Amino acid sequence: MQPWPRTEEEALAAQDLLRGRVVRAPGPASPATVAGLDVAYDDSGDRLGAAVVVLNTEDLSVRDTAVIRGRPAFPYVPGLFAFREVPALMAALEKLTVRPDVLICDGHGLAHPRRFGLAAHLGVLTDLPSFGVGKTRLIGAWEPVGERRGSRSALVDDGETVGAVLRTQTGVKPVFVSVGHRIDLDTACALTLRLAARYRLPETTRAADRVCRDLLS
């Protein structure tokens, strides 16, 4: 395994290399298990808690959980945020006893300035289908989204569709879905809606968020 980048130049080079390994594929329409991944930071920003929670897709019961306490692996640089969190998340993934069918990140995949956000990074490193569900926009513009659950609009950057702005609950702010690796946007949106039956965010994100925040409490 290559040494982890220490400078912005090294990180950009690694990002360019890994981006070429992204696979565009339909992805599993009915995965048996899905994993939520999230990272929380303490007040100083010097320590983090990373969590991966694997759920049964059918009933959303928890199959497995893995956590890591650590420190950010890279300084904060816009567009290179994944380099802060990937080592801790990969360490948590390696602790799992259940290998998930799909990874769902609290972040972005293709909807990234260099088309390689956290979801794409983790997907390539694990070779698992992966996508991101972001609470806020990183890049792109979109036409207004209908108010009803399931409404969506293309997220477009520089003439390219990089994701979808998806209404998961009627009258609630939409989320930003973008593919990472080995999955297509329609499948990612359908799975997001399936996992967000009651709340704005999918249960994968909600479960991982609770666990990693508990680590730092």
Side-chain angles (χ1 to χ4, degrees):
M1 185 175 178
Q2 295 291 325
W4 197 248
R6 294 171 296 176
T7 67
E8 185 172 347
E9 291 74 19
E10 290 176 354
L12 286 169
Q15 201 172 62
D16 285 341
L17 175 66
L18 292 171
R19 184 175 58 232
R21 300 178 184 172
V22 169
V23 174
R24 300 292 175 220
S30 300
T33 57
V34 287
L37 300 91
D38 199 9
V39 174
Y41 294 83
D42 69 2
D43 291 340
S44 71
D46 292 333
R47 299 194 66 84
L48 59 77
V52 182
V53 181
V54 182
L55 304 181
N56 280 319
T57 311
E58 185 66 30
D59 61 5
L60 303 182
S61 60
V62 176
R63 284 284 304 278
D64 200 3
T65 301
V67 298
I68 291 289
R69 294 181 179 87
R71 296 183 182 278
F74 196 79
Y76 174 74
V77 179
L80 297 175
F81 194 78
F83 287 91
R84 294 172 60 82
E85 301 185 347
V86 163
L89 288 169
M90 288 294 293
L93 282 163
E94 289 170 5
K95 292 176 65 176
L96 292 174
T97 59
V98 176
R99 182 175 172 83
D101 295 324
V102 178
L103 305 180
I104 303 173
C105 301
D106 179 23
H108 302 277
L110 187 62
H112 177 273
R114 285 181 292 280
R115 307 297 188 257
F116 197 71
L118 177 64
H121 205 138
L122 286 167
V124 167
L125 291 181
T126 61
D127 202 30
L128 288 169
S130 63
F131 67 93
V133 180
K135 294 185 282 290
T136 58
R137 176 193 73 102
L138 180 60
I139 60 166
W142 65 96
E143 297 297 323
V145 183
E147 287 296 316
R148 294 190 63 81
R149 168 178 159 83
S151 300
R152 81 187 233 198
S153 181
L155 181 65
V156 179
D157 181 62
D158 197 23
E160 179 183 4
T161 296
V162 295
V165 186
L166 178 66
R167 188 88 63 185
T168 54
Q169 297 295 324
T170 298
V172 173
K173 288 194 299 184
V175 297
F176 299 84
V177 180
S178 61
V179 301
H181 181 68
R182 293 191 180 279
I183 199 165
D184 64 83
L185 188 57
D186 286 345
T187 301
C189 286
L191 191 51
T192 299
L193 285 171
R194 181 174 179 180
L195 296 168
R198 298 177 59 194
Y199 300 100
R200 178 188 179 221
L201 296 176
E203 286 302 316
T204 41
T205 299
R206 288 167 45 80
D209 177 75
R210 286 193 297 267
V211 171
C212 66
R213 290 186 185 280
D214 286 347
L215 276 175
L216 300 175
S217 61

